[in-house]
Short mmCIF file of all heavy atoms in Angstrom, two decimals:
data_model
loop_
_atom_site.label_atom_id
_atom_site.label_comp_id
_atom_site.label_asym_id
_atom_site.label_seq_id
_atom_site.Cartn_x
_atom_site.Cartn_y
_atom_site.Cartn_z
N MET A 790 -16.08 -3.87 -0.17
CA MET A 790 -16.17 -2.87 -1.22
C MET A 790 -16.78 -1.60 -0.64
O MET A 790 -17.74 -1.64 0.11
CB MET A 790 -17.03 -3.38 -2.38
CG MET A 790 -17.20 -2.34 -3.45
SD MET A 790 -18.12 -2.89 -4.90
CE MET A 790 -19.77 -2.96 -4.28
N GLN A 791 -16.20 -0.48 -0.99
CA GLN A 791 -16.68 0.84 -0.61
C GLN A 791 -17.11 1.60 -1.85
O GLN A 791 -16.64 1.30 -2.95
CB GLN A 791 -15.58 1.64 0.09
CG GLN A 791 -15.11 1.05 1.39
CD GLN A 791 -16.12 1.24 2.50
OE1 GLN A 791 -16.81 2.23 2.57
NE2 GLN A 791 -16.21 0.26 3.37
N LYS A 792 -17.96 2.59 -1.66
CA LYS A 792 -18.37 3.44 -2.77
C LYS A 792 -18.14 4.89 -2.39
O LYS A 792 -18.32 5.27 -1.24
CB LYS A 792 -19.84 3.24 -3.11
CG LYS A 792 -20.13 1.91 -3.72
CD LYS A 792 -21.58 1.81 -4.11
CE LYS A 792 -21.88 0.43 -4.67
NZ LYS A 792 -23.29 0.26 -4.97
N ILE A 793 -17.73 5.67 -3.37
CA ILE A 793 -17.52 7.10 -3.19
C ILE A 793 -18.37 7.84 -4.21
O ILE A 793 -18.43 7.46 -5.38
CB ILE A 793 -16.05 7.48 -3.41
CG1 ILE A 793 -15.18 6.99 -2.26
CG2 ILE A 793 -15.89 8.99 -3.58
CD1 ILE A 793 -13.71 7.29 -2.44
N LEU A 794 -19.00 8.90 -3.75
CA LEU A 794 -19.65 9.85 -4.64
C LEU A 794 -18.87 11.14 -4.45
O LEU A 794 -18.72 11.61 -3.31
CB LEU A 794 -21.11 10.06 -4.26
CG LEU A 794 -21.85 11.17 -5.00
CD1 LEU A 794 -21.89 10.88 -6.50
CD2 LEU A 794 -23.25 11.33 -4.45
N ALA A 795 -18.33 11.68 -5.53
CA ALA A 795 -17.51 12.88 -5.42
C ALA A 795 -17.97 13.94 -6.41
O ALA A 795 -18.48 13.62 -7.49
CB ALA A 795 -16.04 12.54 -5.68
N GLU A 796 -17.75 15.17 -6.02
CA GLU A 796 -17.99 16.29 -6.93
C GLU A 796 -16.65 16.67 -7.55
O GLU A 796 -15.65 16.82 -6.85
CB GLU A 796 -18.56 17.47 -6.16
CG GLU A 796 -18.96 18.63 -7.03
CD GLU A 796 -19.63 19.72 -6.23
OE1 GLU A 796 -20.65 19.43 -5.58
OE2 GLU A 796 -19.10 20.84 -6.26
N VAL A 797 -16.65 16.80 -8.88
CA VAL A 797 -15.43 17.13 -9.60
C VAL A 797 -15.68 18.36 -10.45
O VAL A 797 -16.64 18.40 -11.21
CB VAL A 797 -14.99 15.95 -10.51
CG1 VAL A 797 -13.73 16.31 -11.28
CG2 VAL A 797 -14.77 14.69 -9.70
N LYS A 798 -14.83 19.37 -10.31
CA LYS A 798 -15.03 20.56 -11.13
C LYS A 798 -14.03 20.60 -12.28
O LYS A 798 -13.08 19.82 -12.32
CB LYS A 798 -14.95 21.83 -10.29
CG LYS A 798 -13.61 22.17 -9.73
CD LYS A 798 -13.69 23.49 -8.98
CE LYS A 798 -12.28 23.97 -8.65
NZ LYS A 798 -12.30 25.29 -8.05
N ASP A 799 -14.29 21.49 -13.22
CA ASP A 799 -13.45 21.72 -14.40
C ASP A 799 -13.69 20.71 -15.52
O ASP A 799 -12.90 20.66 -16.46
CB ASP A 799 -11.95 21.74 -14.04
CG ASP A 799 -11.63 22.76 -12.97
OD1 ASP A 799 -12.25 23.84 -12.98
OD2 ASP A 799 -10.75 22.48 -12.13
N MET A 800 -14.75 19.93 -15.47
CA MET A 800 -15.09 19.01 -16.56
C MET A 800 -16.05 19.73 -17.52
O MET A 800 -16.99 20.38 -17.08
CB MET A 800 -15.77 17.76 -16.03
CG MET A 800 -14.93 16.89 -15.16
SD MET A 800 -15.74 15.32 -14.76
CE MET A 800 -17.15 15.84 -13.81
N TYR A 801 -15.77 19.60 -18.83
CA TYR A 801 -16.58 20.31 -19.81
C TYR A 801 -17.17 19.43 -20.91
O TYR A 801 -17.99 19.89 -21.68
CB TYR A 801 -15.74 21.42 -20.46
CG TYR A 801 -15.21 22.39 -19.44
CD1 TYR A 801 -13.89 22.33 -19.03
CD2 TYR A 801 -16.06 23.32 -18.85
CE1 TYR A 801 -13.41 23.21 -18.07
CE2 TYR A 801 -15.59 24.21 -17.89
CZ TYR A 801 -14.26 24.15 -17.51
OH TYR A 801 -13.79 25.01 -16.56
N CYS A 802 -16.72 18.17 -21.02
CA CYS A 802 -17.18 17.34 -22.12
C CYS A 802 -16.96 15.86 -21.80
O CYS A 802 -16.44 15.50 -20.76
CB CYS A 802 -16.43 17.71 -23.40
SG CYS A 802 -14.65 17.35 -23.33
N TYR A 803 -17.37 15.03 -22.77
CA TYR A 803 -17.23 13.58 -22.59
C TYR A 803 -15.76 13.15 -22.53
O TYR A 803 -15.43 12.16 -21.89
CB TYR A 803 -17.94 12.83 -23.71
CG TYR A 803 -19.44 13.01 -23.64
CD1 TYR A 803 -20.11 13.79 -24.57
CD2 TYR A 803 -20.18 12.40 -22.64
CE1 TYR A 803 -21.49 13.97 -24.50
CE2 TYR A 803 -21.56 12.57 -22.55
CZ TYR A 803 -22.20 13.36 -23.49
OH TYR A 803 -23.56 13.53 -23.40
N HIS A 804 -14.89 13.91 -23.17
CA HIS A 804 -13.46 13.57 -23.12
C HIS A 804 -12.93 13.74 -21.70
O HIS A 804 -12.06 12.97 -21.27
CB HIS A 804 -12.66 14.42 -24.10
CG HIS A 804 -12.99 14.15 -25.52
ND1 HIS A 804 -12.66 12.97 -26.15
CD2 HIS A 804 -13.67 14.88 -26.42
CE1 HIS A 804 -13.11 13.00 -27.38
NE2 HIS A 804 -13.73 14.15 -27.59
N CYS A 805 -13.46 14.72 -20.99
CA CYS A 805 -13.07 14.90 -19.59
C CYS A 805 -13.45 13.65 -18.78
O CYS A 805 -12.66 13.15 -17.98
CB CYS A 805 -13.76 16.12 -18.99
SG CYS A 805 -13.35 17.69 -19.76
N GLU A 806 -14.67 13.18 -19.00
CA GLU A 806 -15.13 11.95 -18.32
C GLU A 806 -14.20 10.79 -18.62
O GLU A 806 -13.77 10.07 -17.73
CB GLU A 806 -16.52 11.56 -18.81
CG GLU A 806 -17.62 12.47 -18.41
CD GLU A 806 -18.98 12.05 -18.98
OE1 GLU A 806 -19.06 11.07 -19.74
OE2 GLU A 806 -19.96 12.70 -18.63
N GLU A 807 -13.89 10.62 -19.91
CA GLU A 807 -13.04 9.51 -20.34
C GLU A 807 -11.66 9.58 -19.71
O GLU A 807 -11.11 8.55 -19.30
CB GLU A 807 -12.92 9.49 -21.86
CG GLU A 807 -14.20 9.12 -22.56
CD GLU A 807 -14.11 9.27 -24.07
OE1 GLU A 807 -13.03 9.64 -24.59
OE2 GLU A 807 -15.13 9.02 -24.72
N ASP A 808 -11.07 10.78 -19.65
CA ASP A 808 -9.74 10.93 -19.06
C ASP A 808 -9.73 10.48 -17.60
O ASP A 808 -8.82 9.77 -17.17
CB ASP A 808 -9.28 12.39 -19.13
CG ASP A 808 -8.96 12.84 -20.55
OD1 ASP A 808 -8.83 11.98 -21.44
OD2 ASP A 808 -8.85 14.06 -20.75
N ILE A 809 -10.74 10.86 -16.86
CA ILE A 809 -10.80 10.49 -15.44
C ILE A 809 -11.03 9.00 -15.27
O ILE A 809 -10.35 8.33 -14.49
CB ILE A 809 -11.89 11.30 -14.72
CG1 ILE A 809 -11.52 12.79 -14.70
CG2 ILE A 809 -12.09 10.79 -13.29
CD1 ILE A 809 -12.62 13.71 -14.22
N VAL A 810 -11.99 8.45 -16.01
CA VAL A 810 -12.28 7.01 -15.91
C VAL A 810 -11.07 6.18 -16.29
O VAL A 810 -10.71 5.23 -15.58
CB VAL A 810 -13.51 6.64 -16.78
CG1 VAL A 810 -13.65 5.13 -16.89
CG2 VAL A 810 -14.78 7.25 -16.21
N GLU A 811 -10.40 6.53 -17.38
CA GLU A 811 -9.21 5.78 -17.80
C GLU A 811 -8.12 5.81 -16.73
O GLU A 811 -7.49 4.79 -16.46
CB GLU A 811 -8.67 6.32 -19.12
CG GLU A 811 -9.51 5.94 -20.31
CD GLU A 811 -8.99 6.54 -21.61
OE1 GLU A 811 -7.85 7.06 -21.64
OE2 GLU A 811 -9.74 6.49 -22.60
N ALA A 812 -7.90 6.98 -16.14
CA ALA A 812 -6.87 7.09 -15.10
C ALA A 812 -7.22 6.25 -13.88
O ALA A 812 -6.35 5.58 -13.32
CB ALA A 812 -6.69 8.56 -14.70
N LEU A 813 -8.48 6.27 -13.47
CA LEU A 813 -8.89 5.51 -12.29
C LEU A 813 -8.89 4.01 -12.53
O LEU A 813 -8.50 3.23 -11.66
CB LEU A 813 -10.27 5.97 -11.82
CG LEU A 813 -10.31 7.34 -11.16
CD1 LEU A 813 -11.74 7.82 -11.01
CD2 LEU A 813 -9.60 7.30 -9.81
N GLU A 814 -9.33 3.58 -13.70
CA GLU A 814 -9.42 2.14 -13.98
C GLU A 814 -8.06 1.47 -14.08
O GLU A 814 -7.97 0.26 -14.00
CB GLU A 814 -10.26 1.90 -15.22
CG GLU A 814 -11.74 2.16 -14.96
CD GLU A 814 -12.63 1.90 -16.17
OE1 GLU A 814 -12.12 1.86 -17.31
OE2 GLU A 814 -13.85 1.74 -15.95
N LYS A 815 -7.01 2.23 -14.22
CA LYS A 815 -5.65 1.68 -14.25
C LYS A 815 -5.13 1.35 -12.86
O LYS A 815 -4.14 0.66 -12.71
CB LYS A 815 -4.68 2.68 -14.89
CG LYS A 815 -4.90 2.88 -16.36
CD LYS A 815 -3.91 3.91 -16.89
CE LYS A 815 -4.16 4.18 -18.36
NZ LYS A 815 -3.25 5.23 -18.87
N ILE A 816 -5.81 1.84 -11.84
CA ILE A 816 -5.32 1.72 -10.47
C ILE A 816 -5.82 0.43 -9.82
O ILE A 816 -7.01 0.11 -9.87
CB ILE A 816 -5.79 2.93 -9.63
CG1 ILE A 816 -5.36 4.25 -10.28
CG2 ILE A 816 -5.30 2.84 -8.20
CD1 ILE A 816 -3.87 4.39 -10.50
N ASP A 817 -4.90 -0.28 -9.20
CA ASP A 817 -5.23 -1.50 -8.48
C ASP A 817 -6.17 -1.16 -7.33
O ASP A 817 -5.92 -0.23 -6.56
CB ASP A 817 -3.96 -2.14 -7.94
CG ASP A 817 -4.23 -3.47 -7.27
OD1 ASP A 817 -5.05 -4.24 -7.79
OD2 ASP A 817 -3.61 -3.72 -6.21
N GLY A 818 -7.27 -1.87 -7.25
CA GLY A 818 -8.23 -1.64 -6.18
C GLY A 818 -9.48 -0.92 -6.64
O GLY A 818 -10.48 -0.92 -5.94
N VAL A 819 -9.43 -0.29 -7.80
CA VAL A 819 -10.62 0.36 -8.36
C VAL A 819 -11.45 -0.69 -9.09
O VAL A 819 -10.96 -1.36 -9.99
CB VAL A 819 -10.26 1.52 -9.31
CG1 VAL A 819 -11.50 2.06 -10.01
CG2 VAL A 819 -9.58 2.63 -8.54
N LEU A 820 -12.68 -0.86 -8.68
CA LEU A 820 -13.55 -1.88 -9.26
C LEU A 820 -14.43 -1.31 -10.36
O LEU A 820 -14.72 -1.98 -11.34
CB LEU A 820 -14.40 -2.52 -8.17
CG LEU A 820 -13.62 -3.07 -6.97
CD1 LEU A 820 -14.57 -3.52 -5.89
CD2 LEU A 820 -12.71 -4.19 -7.42
N LEU A 821 -14.87 -0.06 -10.18
CA LEU A 821 -15.76 0.57 -11.15
C LEU A 821 -15.67 2.08 -10.99
O LEU A 821 -15.67 2.59 -9.88
CB LEU A 821 -17.21 0.13 -10.90
CG LEU A 821 -18.29 0.76 -11.76
CD1 LEU A 821 -18.17 0.28 -13.20
CD2 LEU A 821 -19.65 0.43 -11.21
N ALA A 822 -15.57 2.78 -12.12
CA ALA A 822 -15.54 4.25 -12.10
C ALA A 822 -16.53 4.77 -13.11
O ALA A 822 -16.58 4.29 -14.24
CB ALA A 822 -14.14 4.75 -12.41
N GLY A 823 -17.32 5.74 -12.70
CA GLY A 823 -18.27 6.37 -13.60
C GLY A 823 -18.26 7.87 -13.36
O GLY A 823 -18.18 8.33 -12.22
N VAL A 824 -18.30 8.65 -14.44
CA VAL A 824 -18.24 10.10 -14.35
C VAL A 824 -19.34 10.72 -15.18
O VAL A 824 -19.64 10.24 -16.27
CB VAL A 824 -16.86 10.62 -14.83
CG1 VAL A 824 -16.77 12.13 -14.73
CG2 VAL A 824 -15.73 9.97 -14.04
N ASP A 825 -19.93 11.79 -14.67
CA ASP A 825 -20.97 12.53 -15.37
C ASP A 825 -20.58 14.01 -15.36
O ASP A 825 -20.73 14.68 -14.35
CB ASP A 825 -22.31 12.33 -14.67
CG ASP A 825 -23.46 13.09 -15.30
OD1 ASP A 825 -23.24 13.83 -16.28
OD2 ASP A 825 -24.58 12.97 -14.80
N PHE A 826 -20.06 14.50 -16.49
CA PHE A 826 -19.58 15.88 -16.53
C PHE A 826 -20.71 16.89 -16.41
O PHE A 826 -20.53 17.99 -15.89
CB PHE A 826 -18.73 16.16 -17.78
CG PHE A 826 -19.51 16.50 -19.02
CD1 PHE A 826 -19.80 17.83 -19.31
CD2 PHE A 826 -19.94 15.51 -19.89
CE1 PHE A 826 -20.52 18.15 -20.46
CE2 PHE A 826 -20.64 15.83 -21.03
CZ PHE A 826 -20.95 17.16 -21.32
N LYS A 827 -21.89 16.55 -16.88
CA LYS A 827 -23.02 17.49 -16.83
C LYS A 827 -23.43 17.82 -15.39
O LYS A 827 -23.91 18.90 -15.11
CB LYS A 827 -24.22 16.93 -17.59
CG LYS A 827 -24.00 16.87 -19.08
CD LYS A 827 -25.20 16.31 -19.78
CE LYS A 827 -24.94 16.20 -21.28
NZ LYS A 827 -26.07 15.59 -21.98
N HIS A 828 -23.24 16.87 -14.49
CA HIS A 828 -23.61 17.07 -13.09
C HIS A 828 -22.37 17.15 -12.18
O HIS A 828 -22.51 17.17 -10.96
CB HIS A 828 -24.53 15.94 -12.63
CG HIS A 828 -25.84 15.95 -13.36
ND1 HIS A 828 -26.10 15.11 -14.41
CD2 HIS A 828 -26.93 16.72 -13.21
CE1 HIS A 828 -27.32 15.36 -14.87
NE2 HIS A 828 -27.84 16.34 -14.16
N ASN A 829 -21.19 17.15 -12.79
CA ASN A 829 -19.92 17.25 -12.04
C ASN A 829 -19.78 16.17 -10.99
O ASN A 829 -19.34 16.42 -9.86
CB ASN A 829 -19.79 18.63 -11.37
CG ASN A 829 -19.74 19.73 -12.39
OD1 ASN A 829 -19.04 19.63 -13.38
ND2 ASN A 829 -20.51 20.78 -12.15
N ARG A 830 -20.15 14.95 -11.35
CA ARG A 830 -20.12 13.85 -10.37
C ARG A 830 -19.25 12.69 -10.82
O ARG A 830 -19.14 12.39 -12.01
CB ARG A 830 -21.53 13.32 -10.14
CG ARG A 830 -22.38 14.34 -9.43
CD ARG A 830 -23.58 13.70 -8.80
NE ARG A 830 -24.34 14.72 -8.12
CZ ARG A 830 -25.62 14.91 -8.29
NH1 ARG A 830 -26.30 14.13 -9.10
NH2 ARG A 830 -26.24 15.87 -7.64
N LEU A 831 -18.72 12.03 -9.83
CA LEU A 831 -17.93 10.82 -10.04
C LEU A 831 -18.42 9.78 -9.04
O LEU A 831 -18.64 10.11 -7.87
CB LEU A 831 -16.45 11.14 -9.77
CG LEU A 831 -15.48 9.98 -9.83
CD1 LEU A 831 -14.17 10.45 -10.41
CD2 LEU A 831 -15.26 9.38 -8.47
N VAL A 832 -18.62 8.57 -9.51
CA VAL A 832 -19.00 7.46 -8.63
C VAL A 832 -17.91 6.40 -8.77
O VAL A 832 -17.50 6.07 -9.88
CB VAL A 832 -20.37 6.86 -9.03
CG1 VAL A 832 -20.69 5.66 -8.17
CG2 VAL A 832 -21.45 7.92 -8.92
N LEU A 833 -17.46 5.91 -7.64
CA LEU A 833 -16.35 4.97 -7.65
C LEU A 833 -16.62 3.83 -6.67
O LEU A 833 -17.01 4.07 -5.53
CB LEU A 833 -15.08 5.71 -7.22
CG LEU A 833 -13.78 4.94 -7.25
CD1 LEU A 833 -13.33 4.73 -8.69
CD2 LEU A 833 -12.72 5.69 -6.48
N ALA A 834 -16.44 2.62 -7.13
CA ALA A 834 -16.48 1.45 -6.26
C ALA A 834 -15.05 0.93 -6.16
O ALA A 834 -14.36 0.81 -7.18
CB ALA A 834 -17.39 0.38 -6.84
N TYR A 835 -14.61 0.65 -4.94
CA TYR A 835 -13.21 0.27 -4.77
C TYR A 835 -13.03 -0.67 -3.58
O TYR A 835 -13.88 -0.76 -2.69
CB TYR A 835 -12.35 1.52 -4.59
CG TYR A 835 -12.61 2.28 -3.31
CD1 TYR A 835 -11.79 2.11 -2.21
CD2 TYR A 835 -13.68 3.15 -3.20
CE1 TYR A 835 -12.03 2.80 -1.03
CE2 TYR A 835 -13.92 3.85 -2.03
CZ TYR A 835 -13.09 3.66 -0.95
OH TYR A 835 -13.34 4.34 0.22
N ASP A 836 -11.91 -1.34 -3.58
CA ASP A 836 -11.50 -2.21 -2.47
C ASP A 836 -10.72 -1.34 -1.48
O ASP A 836 -9.64 -0.84 -1.81
CB ASP A 836 -10.63 -3.33 -3.01
CG ASP A 836 -10.12 -4.27 -1.94
OD1 ASP A 836 -10.16 -3.91 -0.73
OD2 ASP A 836 -9.66 -5.36 -2.30
N GLU A 837 -11.27 -1.13 -0.32
CA GLU A 837 -10.67 -0.23 0.67
C GLU A 837 -9.31 -0.70 1.17
O GLU A 837 -8.56 0.08 1.76
CB GLU A 837 -11.62 0.02 1.84
CG GLU A 837 -11.93 -1.19 2.68
CD GLU A 837 -13.09 -2.03 2.18
OE1 GLU A 837 -13.58 -1.84 1.05
OE2 GLU A 837 -13.51 -2.92 2.92
N LYS A 838 -8.95 -1.95 0.93
CA LYS A 838 -7.64 -2.45 1.33
C LYS A 838 -6.56 -2.07 0.33
O LYS A 838 -5.37 -2.12 0.64
CB LYS A 838 -7.68 -3.96 1.50
CG LYS A 838 -8.56 -4.40 2.65
CD LYS A 838 -8.64 -5.89 2.74
CE LYS A 838 -9.63 -6.27 3.84
NZ LYS A 838 -10.00 -7.68 3.79
N ARG A 839 -6.98 -1.71 -0.89
CA ARG A 839 -6.00 -1.40 -1.94
C ARG A 839 -6.12 0.01 -2.51
O ARG A 839 -5.31 0.39 -3.35
CB ARG A 839 -6.13 -2.42 -3.07
CG ARG A 839 -5.87 -3.85 -2.61
CD ARG A 839 -5.92 -4.83 -3.73
NE ARG A 839 -7.27 -4.88 -4.31
CZ ARG A 839 -7.55 -5.41 -5.48
NH1 ARG A 839 -6.60 -5.92 -6.22
NH2 ARG A 839 -8.78 -5.43 -5.92
N PHE A 840 -7.10 0.78 -2.06
CA PHE A 840 -7.32 2.12 -2.61
C PHE A 840 -7.88 3.02 -1.52
O PHE A 840 -8.62 2.56 -0.65
CB PHE A 840 -8.32 2.04 -3.78
CG PHE A 840 -8.52 3.33 -4.51
CD1 PHE A 840 -7.62 3.73 -5.49
CD2 PHE A 840 -9.59 4.16 -4.22
CE1 PHE A 840 -7.79 4.92 -6.16
CE2 PHE A 840 -9.78 5.36 -4.89
CZ PHE A 840 -8.87 5.74 -5.87
N SER A 841 -7.53 4.32 -1.57
CA SER A 841 -8.01 5.25 -0.55
C SER A 841 -8.57 6.53 -1.17
O SER A 841 -8.30 6.83 -2.34
CB SER A 841 -6.87 5.63 0.40
OG SER A 841 -5.94 6.46 -0.27
N LYS A 842 -9.32 7.28 -0.38
CA LYS A 842 -9.88 8.55 -0.85
C LYS A 842 -8.76 9.53 -1.22
O LYS A 842 -8.92 10.32 -2.13
CB LYS A 842 -10.78 9.17 0.20
CG LYS A 842 -12.10 8.44 0.37
CD LYS A 842 -13.08 9.23 1.19
CE LYS A 842 -12.68 9.33 2.63
NZ LYS A 842 -13.72 9.94 3.47
N THR A 843 -7.65 9.47 -0.52
CA THR A 843 -6.52 10.35 -0.84
C THR A 843 -6.01 10.07 -2.25
O THR A 843 -5.70 11.00 -3.00
CB THR A 843 -5.38 10.16 0.18
OG1 THR A 843 -5.90 10.40 1.48
CG2 THR A 843 -4.23 11.09 -0.11
N GLN A 844 -5.94 8.81 -2.61
CA GLN A 844 -5.51 8.46 -3.96
C GLN A 844 -6.47 9.02 -5.00
O GLN A 844 -6.04 9.47 -6.05
CB GLN A 844 -5.43 6.94 -4.12
CG GLN A 844 -4.25 6.30 -3.46
CD GLN A 844 -4.30 4.80 -3.63
OE1 GLN A 844 -5.09 4.14 -2.97
NE2 GLN A 844 -3.48 4.29 -4.52
N LEU A 845 -7.75 9.00 -4.71
CA LEU A 845 -8.75 9.52 -5.65
C LEU A 845 -8.43 10.96 -6.01
O LEU A 845 -8.34 11.31 -7.19
CB LEU A 845 -10.16 9.42 -5.06
CG LEU A 845 -11.25 10.13 -5.86
CD1 LEU A 845 -11.42 9.49 -7.22
CD2 LEU A 845 -12.54 10.15 -5.09
N SER A 846 -8.26 11.79 -5.03
CA SER A 846 -7.98 13.19 -5.27
C SER A 846 -6.69 13.37 -6.06
O SER A 846 -6.63 14.17 -7.01
CB SER A 846 -7.89 13.95 -3.95
OG SER A 846 -7.69 15.31 -4.18
N ASN A 847 -5.66 12.64 -5.71
CA ASN A 847 -4.37 12.73 -6.41
C ASN A 847 -4.49 12.33 -7.88
O ASN A 847 -3.91 12.98 -8.75
CB ASN A 847 -3.31 11.88 -5.72
CG ASN A 847 -2.93 12.41 -4.36
OD1 ASN A 847 -3.15 13.59 -4.05
ND2 ASN A 847 -2.41 11.55 -3.52
N ILE A 848 -5.22 11.27 -8.16
CA ILE A 848 -5.37 10.79 -9.53
C ILE A 848 -6.18 11.77 -10.36
O ILE A 848 -5.81 12.10 -11.49
CB ILE A 848 -6.01 9.38 -9.55
CG1 ILE A 848 -5.04 8.38 -8.94
CG2 ILE A 848 -6.40 8.97 -10.97
CD1 ILE A 848 -5.68 7.08 -8.53
N VAL A 849 -7.28 12.25 -9.82
CA VAL A 849 -8.12 13.20 -10.55
C VAL A 849 -7.34 14.48 -10.82
O VAL A 849 -7.38 15.03 -11.92
CB VAL A 849 -9.43 13.48 -9.78
CG1 VAL A 849 -10.21 14.62 -10.41
CG2 VAL A 849 -10.29 12.22 -9.73
N THR A 850 -6.58 14.94 -9.85
CA THR A 850 -5.76 16.14 -10.03
C THR A 850 -4.69 15.91 -11.09
O THR A 850 -4.40 16.80 -11.89
CB THR A 850 -5.10 16.55 -8.69
OG1 THR A 850 -6.14 16.83 -7.76
CG2 THR A 850 -4.22 17.77 -8.86
N SER A 851 -4.13 14.71 -11.15
CA SER A 851 -3.05 14.42 -12.11
C SER A 851 -3.51 14.50 -13.56
O SER A 851 -2.70 14.70 -14.46
CB SER A 851 -2.43 13.05 -11.83
OG SER A 851 -3.28 12.01 -12.27
N VAL A 852 -4.81 14.36 -13.80
CA VAL A 852 -5.33 14.47 -15.18
C VAL A 852 -5.99 15.83 -15.43
O VAL A 852 -6.63 16.03 -16.45
CB VAL A 852 -6.27 13.31 -15.57
CG1 VAL A 852 -5.50 12.02 -15.70
CG2 VAL A 852 -7.43 13.16 -14.63
N GLY A 853 -5.86 16.78 -14.47
CA GLY A 853 -6.26 18.14 -14.71
C GLY A 853 -7.59 18.59 -14.14
O GLY A 853 -8.11 19.63 -14.53
N PHE A 854 -8.14 17.85 -13.18
CA PHE A 854 -9.43 18.20 -12.61
C PHE A 854 -9.32 18.30 -11.10
O PHE A 854 -8.30 17.93 -10.52
CB PHE A 854 -10.49 17.17 -13.02
CG PHE A 854 -10.55 16.99 -14.51
CD1 PHE A 854 -9.87 15.95 -15.13
CD2 PHE A 854 -11.23 17.89 -15.30
CE1 PHE A 854 -9.90 15.80 -16.50
CE2 PHE A 854 -11.27 17.76 -16.68
CZ PHE A 854 -10.59 16.71 -17.29
N THR A 855 -10.37 18.77 -10.44
CA THR A 855 -10.32 19.00 -9.00
C THR A 855 -11.51 18.32 -8.31
O THR A 855 -12.66 18.56 -8.70
CB THR A 855 -10.37 20.51 -8.70
OG1 THR A 855 -9.32 21.15 -9.42
CG2 THR A 855 -10.22 20.78 -7.23
N VAL A 856 -11.21 17.52 -7.31
CA VAL A 856 -12.26 16.93 -6.46
C VAL A 856 -12.59 17.97 -5.40
O VAL A 856 -11.71 18.41 -4.66
CB VAL A 856 -11.79 15.62 -5.80
CG1 VAL A 856 -12.85 15.11 -4.85
CG2 VAL A 856 -11.47 14.58 -6.86
N THR A 857 -13.86 18.38 -5.34
CA THR A 857 -14.25 19.42 -4.38
C THR A 857 -14.99 18.87 -3.17
O THR A 857 -15.03 19.51 -2.13
CB THR A 857 -15.12 20.49 -5.06
OG1 THR A 857 -16.27 19.87 -5.62
CG2 THR A 857 -14.35 21.22 -6.13
N CYS A 858 -15.59 17.70 -3.30
CA CYS A 858 -16.37 17.13 -2.20
C CYS A 858 -16.40 15.61 -2.37
O CYS A 858 -16.59 15.12 -3.47
CB CYS A 858 -17.78 17.69 -2.23
SG CYS A 858 -18.87 17.03 -0.97
N VAL A 859 -16.21 14.89 -1.27
CA VAL A 859 -16.24 13.43 -1.31
C VAL A 859 -17.17 12.91 -0.23
O VAL A 859 -17.05 13.28 0.93
CB VAL A 859 -14.82 12.82 -1.09
CG1 VAL A 859 -14.90 11.30 -1.03
CG2 VAL A 859 -13.87 13.27 -2.17
N LEU A 860 -18.11 12.07 -0.64
CA LEU A 860 -18.99 11.38 0.29
C LEU A 860 -18.71 9.90 0.16
O LEU A 860 -18.68 9.37 -0.95
CB LEU A 860 -20.46 11.64 -0.04
CG LEU A 860 -20.89 13.10 -0.07
CD1 LEU A 860 -22.29 13.20 -0.61
CD2 LEU A 860 -20.80 13.70 1.32
N GLU A 861 -18.49 9.22 1.26
CA GLU A 861 -18.21 7.79 1.21
C GLU A 861 -19.41 7.02 1.68
O GLU A 861 -20.03 7.35 2.69
CB GLU A 861 -16.99 7.46 2.07
CG GLU A 861 -16.53 6.04 1.88
CD GLU A 861 -15.17 5.82 2.50
OE1 GLU A 861 -14.60 6.73 3.10
OE2 GLU A 861 -14.67 4.69 2.35
N LYS A 862 -19.76 5.99 0.93
CA LYS A 862 -20.86 5.11 1.28
C LYS A 862 -20.33 3.70 1.41
O LYS A 862 -19.33 3.37 0.83
CB LYS A 862 -21.93 5.12 0.18
CG LYS A 862 -22.48 6.46 -0.16
CD LYS A 862 -23.43 6.29 -1.30
CE LYS A 862 -24.02 7.59 -1.76
NZ LYS A 862 -24.97 7.39 -2.85
N THR A 863 -21.05 2.86 2.11
CA THR A 863 -20.64 1.45 2.19
C THR A 863 -21.60 0.61 1.39
O THR A 863 -22.66 1.01 1.03
CB THR A 863 -20.62 0.95 3.65
OG1 THR A 863 -21.88 1.21 4.24
CG2 THR A 863 -19.51 1.62 4.39
#
């Protein structure tokens, strides 16, 4: 399991958080997604064999937001 801490811009409310979490939780390999719009942060736990950082950016962008910085932790 890997963890990502990412900065996400363009979030303004709890609905923004929900949109991102719902989109990520539908993806195979995502174990846990949490978003905090007040601090522009996203935390993600995932199976590195089934999910990648590239997918993260694509999914977040597909729901209307932008990943500006990604830090990966183990």
